[in-house]
Amino acid sequence: CYDIETTGTDPNRDEILQLAIVNSCGEKLYNGYFKPEKATEWLGAQAVNGISPEMVANSPLLSSELPIIQEIFDNAEIIIGYNNLNFDDRFLNEKGIVFTGKDETDVMLEFAQLHGHYNPKYGNYKWEKLTIAAEFYDYDWQDGNEHNALDDATATLYVYQHLKLENKM
């Protein structure tokens, strides 16, 4: 189960600032911060994720960590994320991370189908933020660090496990 934090929303222009991966027991497999190769400030994203240029100034470049990250994903049986199919995967793919032959689950889509409100205009269920899904299952954020990749990956796993029990996924 993984999550990223970025400098913005465009995988062709913006960069990954943090990536965290946990296993099915919630144990941390990877949690790294990265110094962007191009961006020097990201005020809008910083207001959301709290990651400042100073926080990552001495961090490695993502490119130096890609082999380690790819190996973790290669060893996974299933890849789980929240809004990963529409957002996170695009950033990782842009950097060369691939999930060839892997089962992927987007917990946001699963949660929307079970607990979302159908929107006839779009012919689909409304997507909810991770905080809403986690709150639905009484997840305790403990330190209130929503939008920290490690905390979000752990919360995503929690929601996934509850959906799995509820829906027999």
Side-chain angles (χ1 to χ4, degrees):
C1 191
Y2 80 99
D3 189 64
I4 63 170
E5 299 300 333
T6 65
T7 61
T9 59
D10 183 349
N12 297 311
R13 183 184 69 232
D14 295 309
E15 300 176 73
I16 297 173
L17 294 170
Q18 182 189 15
L19 167 69
I21 307 169
V22 298
N23 67 16
S24 61
C25 297
E27 299 165 334
K28 177 179 66 172
L29 299 178
Y30 187 89
N31 183 30
Y33 288 87
F34 311 107
K35 179 180 180 179
E37 294 182 24
K38 300 174 195 158
T40 57
E41 66 178 9
W42 43 90
L43 298 176
Q46 182 178 337
V48 174
N49 61 34
I51 301 172
S52 68
E54 296 77 24
M55 287 176 63
V56 296
N58 296 316
S59 297
L61 297 176
L62 173 61
S63 57
S64 69
E65 297 290 297
L66 290 175
I68 297 165
I69 295 164
Q70 184 66 63
E71 183 177 357
I72 294 169
F73 284 124
D74 287 347
N75 289 324
E77 291 179 26
I78 184 171
I79 297 172
I80 302 163
Y82 202 92
N83 195 20
N84 56 314
L85 298 179
N86 293 308
F87 188 80
D88 298 23
D89 285 6
R90 292 174 39 224
F91 275 88
L92 291 174
N93 293 159
E94 182 66 28
K95 291 299 182 183
I97 297 292
V98 293
F99 302 141
T100 306
K102 296 292 179 180
D103 286 333
E104 270 195 272
T105 296
D106 189 329
V107 176
M108 180 183 73
L109 300 177
E110 298 290 333
F111 182 80
Q113 288 178 354
L114 285 175
H115 301 288
H117 303 286
Y118 189 77
N119 185 333
K121 178 180 177 184
Y122 297 107
N124 208 339
Y125 291 91
K126 180 181 185 290
W127 298 346
E128 298 290 354
K129 293 181 179 184
L130 175 58
T131 52
I132 300 295
E135 182 181 298
F136 182 86
Y137 293 112
D138 297 320
Y139 181 73
D140 180 5
W141 287 96
Q142 294 180 8
D143 55 7
N145 271 341
E146 302 90 349
H147 298 297
N148 171 286
L150 183 58
D151 292 328
D152 286 359
T154 304
T156 297
L157 176 63
Y158 182 87
V159 173
Y160 170 78
Q161 290 170 335
H162 279 77
L163 284 169
K164 194 172 175 183
L165 288 172
E166 181 179 351
N167 193 31
K168 310 271 191 266
M169 290 172 41

